[in-house]
Amino acid sequence: MRALRGHYAYWAGGLFLIAVTAVDLSTSRGSSLAAVFAVVPALVAVNGTRRAILVSGAVAMVMGGLLSWWNFHAFDLDFAARVLGILGAIGIGLLVHRERLVRERQLGSVTRVANVVQQALLPAPPARAGPLDVAHSYQSAADEAMIGGDFYKVLCTRWGVRVVIGDVRGHGLGVVSTTGMVIAAFREAAHEEPELNRIAARMDRSLARDGGPEDFATVLLLTISAEGLCRARNHGHPPPLLRSAAGRVREADLHGGPPLGLGLARSLQDVEETTMALAEGDELLLATDGVLEARSAAGEFFPLAERYARAPRERPPADVLAALRHDLADWAPDLHDDSALVLLRYAPRRIRPA
């Protein structure tokens, strides 16, 4: 990477020198633009190496001397002032380079910490969970964050495969702690509670108790048995897309309930659970608002169902999500919200007999 940056710096400095020299030679003698060459080492210092700064400075002094001789046939006090200016620019460039390296090391340390945090809060789901092939894709809206307000988790439990996908209010670094709290609540409850409504209740209490006064989360909860029976409970989250083995795509018809963390315990009790039977090869695509509300330059929402129907059917789930991510990037190059996708493919025949 540093070598590439050095080559880029050489090209930028070289083109600048050539341009200034060409302009100088095209004008009448008696005046010179050689003083402008002092800009070159500072320009190269923006992303160049220490060697690039020194080389560009040396070349600038040589070119400045030649232009001075061409214009004045002498090395006078003005020439000495130009040389001192270039030397000063070299010194400034080296200081900028040193400061940049310090900041890059600090950024590298922060990035490593972010990686550890991501692995702790949002570890990659297993590629295989019970009767399911699993793939996932996540993108944070914050450039400095690898995790934000969207979350998901896939767990194998004695009641089947438990899946959650959700969206905490807000995005980026400001909601990381709340996201971690919600994931932890689900992870604990998923192994201890036999029913989805009790999992939702524990997540709701945890968020209401430990979150801020305006913190809430939309959540979709699933339990999928080895026989393909899928039980779903929706709390304000976009319903999943169901793609049959034949390739037909439709939105799952789920009963909706309020988001979690709003202190609406009684309303949570009234949410109906939906049951779906999955056939071999059927898929469930779970997504967050960051995907569904991504807009094109014309202001149109991303047609997830349409693109999903066109995604490769016989490829592994990870390839399906890669195709969808490619389409999403073409549709909306600059996403302004966290976005997550989880694909679950029911493939019971891949289970090895004990």
Side-chain angles (χ1 to χ4, degrees):
M1 182 62 72
R2 289 185 179 180
L4 291 175
R5 287 188 309 204
H7 289 310
Y8 173 79
Y10 279 129
W11 279 106
L15 291 174
F16 185 83
L17 286 170
I18 292 172
V20 173
T21 301
V23 173
D24 192 297
L25 294 177
S26 65
T27 59
S28 59
R29 295 185 178 182
S31 62
S32 176
L33 297 175
V36 181
F37 287 162
V39 175
V40 175
L43 177 66
V44 173
V46 172
N47 67 347
T49 62
R50 185 173 182 273
R51 179 182 177 184
I53 297 170
L54 293 173
V55 170
S56 65
V59 173
M61 283 193 288
V62 172
M63 294 297 295
L66 293 176
L67 287 180
S68 292
W69 182 260
W70 167 262
N71 286 288
F72 306 110
H73 296 289
F75 298 115
D76 53 10
L77 289 177
D78 289 338
F79 169 72
R82 297 187 191 102
V83 171
L84 289 176
I86 294 174
L87 289 174
I90 293 174
I92 293 173
L94 293 175
L95 291 175
V96 171
H97 174 262
R98 185 178 67 178
E99 182 65 21
R100 197 188 77 234
L101 289 183
V102 171
R103 293 182 180 274
E104 287 178 355
R105 293 190 188 99
Q106 292 174 344
L107 179 60
S109 298
V110 171
T111 302
R112 286 191 294 271
V113 172
N115 288 335
V116 174
V117 172
Q118 183 194 33
Q119 292 301 317
L121 295 183
L122 197 65
R128 181 72 182 174
L132 303 174
D133 289 332
V134 182
H136 65 101
S137 175
Y138 184 88
Q139 182 175 332
S140 173
D143 293 335
E144 72 275 17
M146 301 183 69
I147 180 173
D150 291 358
F151 61 91
Y152 47 81
K153 193 76 176 175
V154 180
L155 297 173
C156 290
T157 72
R158 51 180 165 166
W159 293 287
V161 180
R162 291 275 170 81
V163 182
V164 66
I165 186 169
D167 184 357
V168 173
R169 177 183 175 274
H171 59 264
L173 289 174
V175 296
V176 171
S177 60
T178 307
T179 301
M181 177 180 59
V182 174
I183 294 174
F186 167 78
R187 184 168 49 201
E188 181 179 4
H191 287 288
E192 297 180 357
E193 301 293 352
E195 301 298 334
L196 290 178
N197 64 331
R198 295 171 65 174
I199 297 176
R202 288 181 60 165
M203 294 175 67
D204 178 68
R205 289 195 299 270
S206 177
L207 189 55
R209 180 184 63 244
D210 300 325
E214 298 182 357
D215 287 341
F216 65 87
T218 64
V219 172
L220 174 65
L221 293 167
L222 305 174
T223 296
I224 303 174
S225 68
E227 296 75 27
L229 185 65
C230 175
R231 293 185 293 133
R233 187 178 176 92
N234 189 14
H235 292 276
H237 197 80
L241 295 177
L242 175 63
R243 182 164 74 166
S244 68
R248 292 186 297 273
V249 175
R250 66 177 178 85
E251 185 177 272
D253 186 16
L254 303 185
H255 301 285
L260 304 182
L262 296 176
L264 303 175
R266 290 188 177 181
S267 298
L268 296 181
Q269 297 174 2
D270 298 331
V271 178
E272 296 184 36
E273 190 172 281
T274 302
T275 302
M276 300 176 287
L278 301 178
E280 184 172 2
D282 286 354
E283 295 176 348
L284 287 171
L285 178 63
L286 319 181
T288 59
D289 285 341
V291 176
L292 299 171
E293 297 179 357
R295 292 177 181 264
S296 65
E300 298 176 336
F301 289 114
F302 179 63
L304 180 60
E306 175 188 328
R307 297 303 178 91
Y308 182 36
R310 290 159 44 185
R313 181 66 189 85
E314 303 301 326
R315 300 293 298 168
D319 292 347
V320 177
L321 291 192
L324 289 175
R325 273 293 177 188
H326 183 269
D327 288 345
L328 180 59
D330 288 341
W331 186 271
D334 298 320
L335 292 177
H336 301 292
D337 196 4
D338 305 320
S339 60
L341 291 165
V342 176
L343 182 62
L344 310 171
R345 180 180 293 170
Y346 181 61
R349 294 188 183 183
R350 291 191 54 192
I351 301 178
R352 297 180 180 178

